Amino acid sequence: MSEFVSFKIDGKQCMGRAGEYITEAAERNNIYIPTLCDYKGTAPKASCRVCTVKVNGRVMTSCTTPLQEGMEIENETAEIQDIRSGIIELLFAEGNHLCPSCEKSGSCELQALGYRFRMMVPRFPYLFPVREIDASHPKLIKDHNRCILCKRCVRVMKDEKGRSFFAFYKRGAKLEITIAPELADKITDEVAQQAMDVCPTGALLKKRKGWDVPVGKRLFDMKPIGSEFEQVK
Amino acid sequence: MSSVVSGVLQEYGNDAGRLMDILLDIQAENGYISDEDITGIATGLDMSTADVEQTVSFYHFFARKPMAKYNVYLNNSAIAVLMGREKIAEAFERESGCKFGEVSEDGLISLEDCADIGMADQEPAALINGLVFPNLTGFLVKELVRDMRKGVSVDELRAHGLGDGMNNSQHLKATVNNNIRKKGAVIFSEYQAGSALDKVKSDRMSPEQLIELVKQSGLRGRGGAGFPTAMKWDFCRKAQGEKKYIFCNADEGEPGTFKDRVILTERPRLIFDGMALAGYAVGAHKGILYVRYEYMYMKHYLESVLTEMRNEGALGKKVNGIDGFDFEIRIQYGAGAYVCGEESALIESAEGKRGEPRDRPPFPVEKGYRGMPTVINNVETLCSVAKLVTNGVEWFKSLGTGQSTGTKLLSISGDVKYPGVYEVEWGFSINDILEMSGGDPATVQAVQVGGPSGSCVGPNEFERTISYEDLSTGGSMMVIGEQHDLLQDVVLNFTEFFIDESCGSCSTCRALAVMYKKTLEKVLSGGGRRKDIDAMLSWSPIGKASRCGLGQTAMNPICTSIKNFRYLYEGHIKNANEQYEGGFDIAKAVADSCEVVGRRPNL
Ligand SMILES: Cc1cc2nc3c(=O)[nH]c(=O)nc-3n(C[C@H](O)[C@H](O)[C@H](O)COP(=O)(O)O)c2cc1C
Ligand code: SF4
Ligand code: SF4
Ligand code: SF4
Ligand code: FES
C-alpha cells in the first residue's frame, strides 16, 4: 500500500494515499467533490468536467489527478462552483431533459446535481436538438435526448472477450452512443439492467419494466446527492 | 471476409494497434469501407463492429459508402473564403450538376467540404482523390470537370502544372507550390544529409551531452506550446520503459499553417536526422512520423527518402556507424482530424483509435505510445536540433532574441501580395511582417496570429513582436483586409471549425462551442443585446476547464475579437439600452406555429 501524505482542500488539512485520485482522497476525508462521468472500479476518462478543482492554482479534474504530498486543492470556491454550475447548465441546454416524464427522475445524477447547484434557468440558449429515441433493441431503450456522453456505458459494459457493447460514433456535436448489433443477443435482462444502472441519466432504460420505484423511495428522494459526506461533517 | 481485408489484416499481423493503417489501405484499395469490411475487421481483430466503427466515424476522410470516380473535397476555411472559395464552389456545382454533400447522377463526381488543408498560401484549393489542386479558378474548375467527363485519370489531371522545387521531382509530381519567400539560417540554409549524426559520432557525444547541448541552445518547441525541448527529452530519457518512441508531429492542422508542408517537401532529411538525434538522446529505437491525410500526395516521396537512408546506413542497425544505436522510422498517416495534432490524441490515433486526447498526468514522456515513454516534437523543432548540433550552440544562440533563440517559420496568408513561408529570426513585429509580405497597413483590418486558437489582433497592436515573451505562435499569420466581414467570414468560420473538429469528449468543448456559435449568430442577425456580448466573455472559464488545448482555446476567436474589435459587435446591437431578451422573433414564431396547425398568420 502506498504511503499516506498530507494535502489541503479549501484550507482544511487532510490525509490521503499518494497516487490515489483526488476524488478518492476527498471521499476519505468526507469532503464531497461532485462527479458525473466517474464510475467506481473503472478507469476514469474525464469527460463531464464537473469534478474540476484547482490544484496548486491549476485547473484539473479530480477524478484523474493522482494525489501528491502538499497539494493545495480549491474545491468550493466561488470560481470553481460557477464553472461547475455552468457545466451542468450546459448539459441541460445541450440535450432535451423533460424530467417529469423521465423514468430516471429522482434517481438521475444529472438532475440531482441540477438541484444541488440550484439551477433555475441555464445561462445558455436551449439547443432543442432533434434526437432519436432508439427502441429497436429487444432489451434496451436508448434515448439520445438524455444522453450526456459521459462514456460510462462504453467504458464499463464489455462482453467476456472484452469487446464493447456500446461505443462512440462520430465526433464533436454529432457524437452519439451506438450498440454493437452483433452483440445484441448477448444483452440479457441482467446486462440491460446493469447498463441502466451504470448510466447516470435516463438515456439507457431496460424494456418491459418501468417506474417500479415509487416517488419517495428513489435514489435521491431522501438523500440529496453529496449529502452522505456532508452529514458526517 | 474479402481477400482485400484478410490480406491487409495479415500484413499488419492482426494488430488492432494498426487499425488506422488497415482502414487506410482498405480504402485505398476499394475506395471506401463497406459494412462487410467492418465485420471482417472486427472479426479479425476480436473487436465489436461498434468498436471499429467508432474509429472509422471519427475521421473526416474515411468513406462508408461507395464514392464517385472523382471525389472533390473543397476547403472551406476562412482563408479559402477570403480568397473566393464560394465562387469555386458554385463553379463545381454548376459544372458537375450536383450539390455539396452529393454525388452526381452518373456517379462520376462527388462534392464535399473539408477543413483547412494546409494550402492557405494557394487557396482556393481542393483535394481530388487525395491529390491537391491549388489556386483554383472558375476556368480551371471547368477544365477539370470537362477532363473528368472524358475519363482522364487524377494523375493526368494535374498535368496543368507542377509546383516548384522538389514538388517537380519524380516521386512527388505535385501541383503544390512551396512559396518560400525568405530563407533563414536554420531551416532553409543548406544541409548536408547525415552531418548532424556525423558530428555526434566524431565528437563522441553521449546522449546526456546531446541533451545538454540542446539545453544550452535554449531551443523551445515550435508546435505552439513552446515547451523546452531538452527538458522533454530529459524526462523521457529518465522515464522507465522497455521501449521508447520518438514521434514527429506533422499533423499541421491549425488553419493558416503550412510551413511543415514545405519542410517535408524540401528538407525531409533534416527531419529524419532530427528524429534520429532525439532517438539517440532518449534511448529510443523507433520513430514515427505522423503526417496529416491532406499530405498523402507526399507518401511515396517520403518513403523513398527513408529507403535511401536505409541503403546508406542512416537508418537500421548502427545508425551512421554509431555503436549500439539502432533506429528505424515509419510513417503514420492520419485521416482528417485537427485534434490529432494534440500530442496525446496523436498517440491514440497512431494506436488505431479515435483521436481523443488523454487525461494528463501521466504525460507522454512517462506513458505514451503503447504505454511507453514517448517524445513528441514538431517538425520544425527536430530540424532545429539537427542544425544546431551541426553548426554549434553559439551560432544558434546568436539568432533571435534573448529568450527566443533560433529562427521561426511563419506561414503568411490572406490579403498580402506574397503569401508563403518566411523564415525569420524571432523578434519581428507584425508591422515588419506586413511590410515583408506586401500587406497594406492602410487597408489591413486585423491579423490572426497563431491560427484560430491564437488571437485576433488589430492595428493598435501591430507593434507587438513574435517571440515567446510576447506573441508566441506556431507560425500562422492570416492577414484580413478591411473589405471582409471579420465577424461573419472569419470569427464565425473559426468557431464552426472548432465545433466540427472537437473530439466531443468534454462537455465544456463539445457543447460550449455550439453555444458560442448560437450567440454570435444571434448578435449578427440583429437580435442580440449588450449582455450577450458580456455573457460570451464570461463563459470563458468554463471552456478553459476542458481537457485539451482545443476546448481551452475554442472561445478565442470570439473572446479576442470582442476584446480588440468590440465596436464591430456593438454595431449589430439595435437597441443598446434594452435589457429584455432579443433573440426571439415573435412574428416568425407565430408563422411557424400557424404553419403547423394549417392557419394563416394575421399579424
Ligand atoms: C488541438 C491541438 C492541435 C495541435 N496541432 C499540432 C500540430 O498540428 N503540430 C504540432 O507540432 N503541434 C500541434 N499541437 C501541439 C502538440 O500538442 C505538442 O505540443 C507539440 O507537437 C509538441 O512539439 P514541440 O514541443 O516540438 O512544439 C496541437 C495542440 C492542440 C491542443
Ligand atoms: S435524464 Fe435526468 S435530467 Fe434528463 S430528463 Fe431524465 S431525470 Fe431529467
Ligand atoms: S448512454 Fe448513459 S452511460 Fe452511456 S454515455 Fe450516455 S449518459 Fe453516459
Ligand atoms: S477539449 Fe475538446 S478536443 Fe480536447 S479532449 Fe475535450 S472535447 Fe476533445
Ligand atoms: S467526474 Fe471527473 S470529469 Fe467527470
Side-chain angles (χ1 to χ4, degrees), chain A residues 44-49 52 58-61 64-66 79 82-83 86-87 89-91 93-94 123-127 148-149 151 154 158 161-175 178-183, chain B residues 42 46-51 53-55 57-60 336-338 348 354 356-361 363 499-512 514-515 518-519 535 538-539 541-542 544-548 552:
Chain A
K45 179 83 196 177
S47 58
C48 75
R49 318 302 291 175
T52 292
R58 286 195 59 182
V59 175
M60 309 278 272
T61 41
T64 58
T65 306
E79 184 192 359
D82 189 56
I83 291 174
I87 293 169
E89 291 166 29
L90 205 46
L91 291 169
E94 182 194 22
R123 66 193 80 176
F124 305 107
Y126 280 107
L127 297 181
I148 56 169
L149 300 160
K151 220 176 180 182
V154 180
K158 308 267 176 183
K161 279 184 161 174
R163 293 178 299 185
S164 312
F165 289 112
F166 299 90
F168 269 180
Y169 181 66
K170 298 203 172 163
R171 70 182 187 207
K174 298 196 182 113
L175 185 63
T178 53
I179 303 181
E182 78 278 16
L183 300 183
Chain B
D46 241 347
M47 300 162 95
S48 67
T49 52
D51 251 347
E53 194 88 78
Q54 118 170 308
T55 293
S57 64
F58 188 84
Y59 297 92
H60 191 72
Y338 161 63
E348 288 281 303
R354 299 167 62 80
E356 280 176 30
R358 295 177 178 174
D359 297 298
R360 278 149 297 169
F363 291 90
I499 293 173
D500 289 343
E501 297 298 326
S502 161
C503 82
S505 174
C506 312
S507 59
T508 48
C509 170
R510 176 187 73 233
L512 190 63
V514 180
M515 302 302 176
K518 283 261 166 197
T519 310
S538 75
W539 299 340
I542 300 169
K544 298 261 186 267
S546 302
R547 185 188 302 134
C548 87
Q552 290 161 4

Side-chain angles (χ1 to χ4, degrees), chain B residues 21-35:
Chain B
D21 303 275
I22 292 169
L23 294 168
L24 284 164
D25 285 6
I26 292 173
Q27 175 152 315
E29 192 67 36
N30 295 345
Y32 76 111
I33 296 156
S34 68
D35 288 346

Side-chain angles (χ1 to χ4, degrees), chain B residues 84-144:
Chain B
R85 186 254 181 213
E86 284 322 307
K87 281 220 164 68
I88 302 302
E90 281 164 25
F92 268 118
E93 290 189 338
R94 198 175 46 239
E95 298 301 324
S96 69
C98 68
K99 299 270 169 224
F100 271 79
E102 292 177 359
V103 181
S104 65
E105 257 173 41
D106 50 9
L108 193 69
I109 301 169
S110 72
L111 301 179
E112 292 283 342
D113 290 324
C114 67
D116 190 277
I117 58 174
M119 301 288 155
D121 54 338
Q122 40 208 307
E123 288 293 344
L127 289 175
I128 304 178
N129 292 9
L131 294 181
V132 181
F133 289 81
N135 289 324
L136 292 172
T137 59
F139 177 72
L140 209 55
V141 170
K142 218 176 183 167
E143 289 208 316
L144 283 171

Side-chain angles (χ1 to χ4, degrees), chain B residues 181-490:
Chain B
R181 307 285 184 180
K182 185 171 163 45
K183 291 188 175 185
V186 179
I187 307 293
F188 290 128
S189 63
E190 285 308 310
Y191 175 69
Q192 177 69 38
S195 54
L197 285 129
D198 290 342
K199 181 88 176 146
V200 168
K201 189 173 175 222
S202 62
D203 287 6
R204 294 168 181 268
M205 214 183 279
S206 71
E208 288 82 2
Q209 282 168 329
L210 175 55
I211 294 177
E212 181 58 27
L213 195 75
V214 177
K215 189 173 164 197
Q216 295 298 327
S217 76
L219 176 64
R220 291 167 65 172
R222 303 301 198 225
F227 194 83
T229 306
M231 201 190 284
K232 191 182 278 184
W233 290 14
D234 194 43
F235 285 143
C236 185
R237 170 148 196 92
K238 290 181 178 145
Q240 296 293 322
E242 271 166 58
K243 288 185 184 163
K244 292 181 183 174
Y245 294 97
I246 305 298
F247 272 76
C248 175
N249 187 345
D251 195 53
E252 186 156 72
E254 190 79 41
T257 318
F258 44 83
K259 48 115 186 157
D260 292 339
R261 176 195 87 213
V262 181
I263 308 181
L264 288 161
T265 308
E266 293 300 322
R267 292 285 180 274
R269 266 310 289 270
L270 197 57
I271 305 174
F272 294 137
D273 283 358
M275 290 175 74
L277 288 171
Y280 180 71
V282 309
H285 301 293
K286 182 104 203 180
I288 297 173
L289 173 71
Y290 187 103
V291 190
R292 67 185 311 203
Y293 179 89
E294 291 81 346
Y295 298 164
M296 192 59 97
Y297 70 95
M298 296 189 199
K299 186 169 189 237
H300 294 297
Y301 170 65
L302 294 171
E303 299 279 8
S304 72
V305 176
L306 289 176
T307 308
E308 219 171 275
M309 287 176 73
R310 281 180 204 115
N311 294 339
E312 285 170 18
L315 283 179
K317 297 261 175 235
K318 289 222 295 189
V319 170
N320 254 40
I322 300 173
D323 269 329
F325 178 48
D326 304 342
F327 197 71
E328 248 311 327
I329 294 177
R330 79 166 170 91
I331 298 174
Q332 172 72 60
Y333 267 95
Y338 161 63
V339 68
C340 288
E342 195 281 336
E343 53 186 24
S344 61
L346 183 130
I347 293 175
E348 288 281 303
S349 176
E351 288 180 359
K353 292 182 266 183
R354 299 167 62 80
E356 280 176 30
R358 295 177 178 174
D359 297 298
R360 278 149 297 169
F363 291 90
V365 285
E366 308 158 70
K367 254 179 131 206
Y369 183 61
R370 300 196 181 226
M372 297 295 154
T374 303
V375 160
I376 297 151
N377 276 129
N378 176 254
V379 171
E380 194 183 341
T381 314
L382 291 166
C383 289
S384 299
V385 173
K387 258 313 178 20
L388 81 88
V389 168
T390 315
N391 293 359
V393 168
E394 291 313 317
W395 166 82
F396 192 79
K397 284 207 302 197
S398 71
L399 306 165
T401 70
Q403 280 189 49
S404 313
T405 51
T407 61
K408 180 77 197 90
L409 293 194
L410 301 177
S411 311
I412 304 181
S413 63
D415 295 310
V416 293
K417 276 208 197 85
Y418 313 108
V421 178
Y422 294 73
E423 181 176 7
V424 301
E425 289 184 37
W426 291 93
F428 263 55
S429 72
I430 297 180
N431 273 328
D432 297 337
I433 287 165
L434 287 176
E435 199 181 336
M436 182 171 69
S437 59
D440 178 2
T443 60
V444 171
Q445 177 175 194
V447 177
Q448 182 76 26
V449 179
S453 66
S455 27
C456 186
V457 175
N460 58 331
E461 290 190 283
F462 285 178
E463 275 309 320
R464 294 183 66 183
T465 57
I466 305 303
S467 62
Y468 292 112
E469 300 93 309
D470 188 3
L471 281 172
S472 172
T473 169
S476 161
M477 298 274 158
M478 295 184 256
V479 179
I480 301 142
E482 63 184 5
Q483 69 274 32
H484 300 295
D485 184 338
L486 187 66
L487 302 189
Q488 181 76 41
D489 292 344
V490 179

